[in-house]
Amino acid sequence: MQLQPQVFINFRGEEIRYGFISHLVAAFELHGIYFFIDKYEQKGKDLTHLFKRIQESKIALAIFSRKYAQSKWCLNELAKMKKVAEKNKLEIIPIFYKVKASDVRHQEGEFGHNFWELARTSSGEEIKQWKEALEFVSNKMGLTLCENRYST
């Protein structure tokens, strides 16, 4: 029997997989939190499989980084997360990793530049769904992680 994921992690891999994500995954494993991360999926699976994982989850972490908006995959997952959350079946927590929430919300700064580059090769309907999802999620209470760390 396969366990249902409690947390779906949505992020752009190349930028943060071996830093922030590896620490997050280690903490989840230490505390027995079952999570889903695409690293464990077979290559070549389509988004339908990932959408199913989103629907099975209770919580989704949308981890926005500078290169996040270069990925149609990430943005399509985010749009699906929004749809499930609107039915009150998923709680989304945004994490702004070295990006400003306002840059995500308004597609500005380096995040915005990457978004609009991708948009040039995307359909109007995709862009509309992505923008709505970015605004929906970035307006939620979340976490901001910067270069510096608080010390106690």
Side-chain angles (χ1 to χ4, degrees), residues 105-121:
R105 188 175 307 114
H106 303 295
Q107 298 86 57
E108 296 174 340
E110 186 178 350
F111 183 94
H113 173 77
N114 290 330
F115 178 86
W116 292 111
E117 281 294 309
L118 181 65
R120 290 175 38 191
T121 60

Side-chain angles (χ1 to χ4, degrees), residues 13-73:
E14 69 179 51
E15 193 172 14
I16 60 175
R17 182 180 302 274
Y18 300 107
F20 176 71
I21 296 297
S22 66
H23 295 291
L24 181 65
V25 164
F28 282 175
E29 288 172 344
L30 179 66
H31 293 284
I33 298 170
Y34 186 63
F35 60 92
F36 174 82
I37 190 169
D38 66 0
K39 172 183 176 182
Y40 301 124
E41 291 304 298
Q42 295 175 349
K43 300 294 180 203
K45 292 249 185 197
D46 65 12
L47 282 172
T48 307
H49 183 70
L50 291 174
F51 288 173
K52 182 175 186 283
R53 296 294 192 157
I54 291 168
Q55 290 175 297
E56 293 170 347
S57 299
K58 304 286 182 237
I59 298 169
L61 300 180
I63 305 172
F64 299 109
S65 58
R66 291 184 279 250
K67 294 183 179 181
Y68 179 97
Q70 290 177 338
S71 170
K72 275 190 179 198
W73 198 283

